[in-house]
Amino acid sequence: MAGGTMTATFLAVIGGASLLAVTARRLRPSDRLPSLEGWALADRRLGPVWTWFLLGGTIFTAYTFTAVPGLVYGNGAAAFFAVPYTVLVCPLAFVLLSRLWTVARRHNYVTAADFVRGRYGSPQLALVVALTGILATMPYLALQLLGIRSVLTAGGVYPQGAAGDLVLVALFAGLAVATYRHGLRAPAVISVLKAVAVFVSLTAVTWLVLERLGGPGAVFDGAARRIGGDALLLTPHQQPAYATLALGSALALLMYPHVLTAGFAADGPDTLRKVSVALPAWTGLLALFGFLGIAALAAGVRVERGEAETAVPMLVDQLMPGPLAGLVFGAITVGALVPAAVLSIAAATGFVRNVYVEYLHPTATPKRQVRVAKAVSLIAKAGAVAFVFGLRDQDAVNLQLLGGVWILQIFPAVAIGLYTGRLHPRALLAGWGVGMLAGTLMVVREGFSAVVSLGFGRLEVYGGLAALLLNLAVAVAGTALLERLGVPRGADLTDLPSRLTLRRRPKTEANPR
């Protein structure tokens, strides 16, 4: 249960985050007029250090830091797919984010749907990209609240009943006010505290766990006895699911609006390349959190059925002194506030740019766009709170799982569109529809499991990646058919090549002897 020192440390971390959010106004130039780009992207002025904090703090959420060790606690080695998945994100971000930033800056695009609208000249395709992003974002936002609640409940910091709900609302209200006033600058500033708190607390927790449990060898031996030795090894049967989960999750992550929003806020493509090279430092944190799931097994931590994500918070509460436990819980809470803020900003920006301005109010001034975006960001946060209070936790988890499958279906239009414009927009729409339907049916059929059986013996793969392959097949075949029929396509307003071209090194003459 929470003691006085634990609660005091926890409140100190939360109070520090609130104070930092207030200072976000200093990052805003006073001579600039209100604009959606300024509010949602911090005027695209974040340098390498700020971008590293913000992008890392956005990608690595509080729920990730609790769900991954929870999966390790319950399923063993198979849960470590999250480590190669976040490693794969880095080279993909190096290539895709920098190229997309260049196009977006040149044409004043703020969202991925803006790029799709300009690349294919198809408002319908841009609309489904925007709506898919918003649809996938909302359960992800709700999961941040669930992460806070589950962690604090396990640590005894979260009061029962209405008092606990008020605490959650108060935490989110402070975030809502800071985001409303300062936009992306608020989570950018808070992400610094998140990084420092998480790095320091996790290093201390890992060191204490190793010391008290007798070192890494003793930890793995104890966990093997508890869960069974085979569970700590990846079997040949699990390898296809492991590999496809890692690849599919990496492709999906870079399509989420909050990740693209954090990337668009950088001050240049070189900044994004530098940050991509440095992002594995956050992956190291994730690996250590996964190790703590094994340590929870070794320490004999017992959780309620279906609540494996509370294993590490219970381990911290069991083994750590009060101040350190409070620091860990505070760090995880702040770790939820950063992505929650960026998620709400991304959802609001997508709605304003690609729904409100495109279809409802084409003549909206920049000032009005900012005002509407602020209001929508508040509505998104309020909706997430209502979702958490109104539905079971598992409902949010299931919807977020579907969100990952759904967001992967815009990969052909966005990522492949960066390199070739040959795919016909109507074929991409058809592929998107097939992928959404197939992915949803596969996941629901398997009882909301990300891993699905394809009917080829015991072969199991990530359902989102299987749906993406169907999506691509329809898009390619549809493009060939539509081109043969002479169906026109919209104008490409970007300066990207229409065909995929490979650079070749120029031939050089042999050195004269």
Side-chain angles (χ1 to χ4, degrees):
M1 296 299 292
T5 55
M6 178 193 294
T7 303
T9 307
F10 171 77
L11 292 176
V13 175
I14 300 302
S18 300
L19 291 175
L20 279 175
V22 173
T23 65
R25 68 178 184 273
R26 298 184 179 182
L27 294 178
R28 180 179 180 179
S30 58
D31 58 342
R32 289 179 179 263
L33 295 174
S35 68
L36 191 60
E37 184 180 59
W39 182 80
L41 303 181
D43 290 308
R44 304 186 203 259
R45 297 182 59 178
L46 299 184
V49 175
W50 283 109
T51 303
W52 182 84
F53 281 121
L54 179 62
L55 195 57
T58 300
I59 291 174
F60 294 87
T61 68
Y63 199 82
T64 300
F65 288 151
T66 56
V68 170
L71 284 172
V72 173
Y73 177 89
N75 300 312
F80 274 102
F81 82 90
V83 176
Y85 136 49
T86 51
V87 170
L88 287 173
V89 165
C90 300
L92 288 172
F94 186 96
V95 174
L96 295 179
L97 283 185
S98 58
R99 188 177 180 92
L100 187 56
W101 187 97
T102 302
V103 181
R105 182 67 183 87
R106 183 174 295 122
H107 299 282
N108 292 320
Y109 297 153
V110 179
T111 67
D114 286 347
F115 163 73
V116 171
R117 178 73 165 85
R119 180 61 154 163
Y120 300 100
S122 171
Q124 296 83 10
L125 184 59
L127 179 63
V128 300
V129 168
L131 292 180
T132 303
I134 295 172
L135 184 65
T137 293
M138 296 312 297
Y140 210 153
L141 178 58
L143 279 185
Q144 305 315 306
L145 285 172
L146 292 179
I148 294 175
R149 187 167 69 180
S150 63
V151 167
L152 299 186
T153 299
V157 183
Y158 191 86
Q160 295 294 324
D165 295 340
L166 288 175
V167 169
L168 194 61
V169 170
L171 286 172
F172 228 46
L175 170 71
V177 171
T179 304
Y180 184 89
R181 295 184 61 186
H182 308 301
L184 194 69
R185 294 175 180 83
V189 172
I190 299 174
S191 66
V192 177
L193 177 63
K194 170 180 177 174
V196 172
V198 171
F199 273 84
V200 170
S201 62
L202 182 58
T203 301
V205 169
T206 304
W207 181 80
L208 285 173
V209 164
L210 291 175
E211 182 184 46
R212 296 194 180 190
L213 298 183
V219 170
F220 280 95
D221 289 342
R225 288 192 298 270
R226 178 86 182 276
I227 196 175
D230 292 341
L232 294 182
L233 300 174
L234 196 65
T235 65
H237 172 63
Q238 294 174 315
Q239 290 173 6
Y242 184 93
T244 54
L245 271 169
L247 176 59
S249 299
L251 298 177
L253 182 65
L254 291 177
M255 295 298 102
Y256 272 105
H258 64 294
V259 175
L260 295 177
T261 295
F264 283 162
D267 62 3
D270 287 341
T271 289
L272 286 171
R273 295 187 189 101
K274 293 175 183 177
V275 169
S276 300
V277 171
L279 275 180
W282 288 93
T283 300
L285 281 183
L286 186 61
L288 287 180
F289 269 106
F291 171 75
L292 291 182
I294 294 176
L297 283 170
V301 172
R302 296 185 179 277
V303 302
E304 297 293 332
R305 183 178 179 85
E307 297 183 2
E309 70 275 3
T310 64
V312 168
M314 292 179 68
L315 173 70
V316 171
D317 189 42
Q318 176 179 316
L319 296 182
M320 305 300 120
L324 182 56
L327 177 62
V328 174
F329 296 141
I332 294 177
T333 301
V334 174
L337 297 180
V338 173
V342 183
L343 282 161
S344 66
I345 291 170
T349 305
F351 173 81
V352 170
R353 289 284 291 200
N354 308 116
V355 180
Y356 181 75
V357 173
E358 184 76 29
Y359 295 97
L360 302 178
H361 196 334
T363 60
T365 64
K367 186 175 182 179
R368 183 172 182 81
Q369 292 180 35
V370 172
R371 188 181 302 130
V372 174
K374 288 180 176 181
V376 173
S377 72
L378 288 179
I379 294 172
K381 295 184 185 70
V385 173
F387 187 96
V388 170
F389 292 157
L391 296 176
R392 298 178 301 112
D393 291 2
Q394 189 59 44
D395 294 330
V397 174
N398 290 342
L399 284 177
Q400 199 278 329
L401 177 63
L402 276 175
V405 174
W406 293 337
I407 201 67
L408 193 53
Q409 305 315 309
I410 69 172
F411 187 87
V414 179
I416 296 179
L418 284 170
Y419 294 92
T420 176
R422 289 295 305 277
L423 294 177
H424 199 285
R426 294 189 183 183
L428 286 169
L429 269 173
W432 169 85
V434 170
M436 292 284 283
L437 180 61
T440 302
L441 290 178
M442 283 188 287
V443 171
V444 173
R445 183 193 64 189
E446 297 292 333
F448 286 94
S449 170
V451 177
V452 300
S453 175
L454 297 181
F456 303 106
R458 297 181 62 192
L459 179 63
E460 294 181 335
V461 298
Y462 176 42
L465 193 61
L468 176 62
L469 292 177
L470 284 175
N471 182 342
L472 285 170
V474 171
V476 172
T479 296
L481 177 62
L482 291 170
E483 287 187 344
R484 187 175 184 84
L485 295 175
V487 177
R489 62 174 73 204
D492 184 357
L493 302 180
T494 68
D495 53 357
L496 292 171
S498 60
R499 296 173 179 243
L500 179 64
T501 57
L502 300 177
R503 293 183 180 179
R504 297 181 178 179
R505 292 184 178 181
K507 295 181 179 181
T508 57
E509 296 182 0
N511 293 329
R513 294 183 179 273

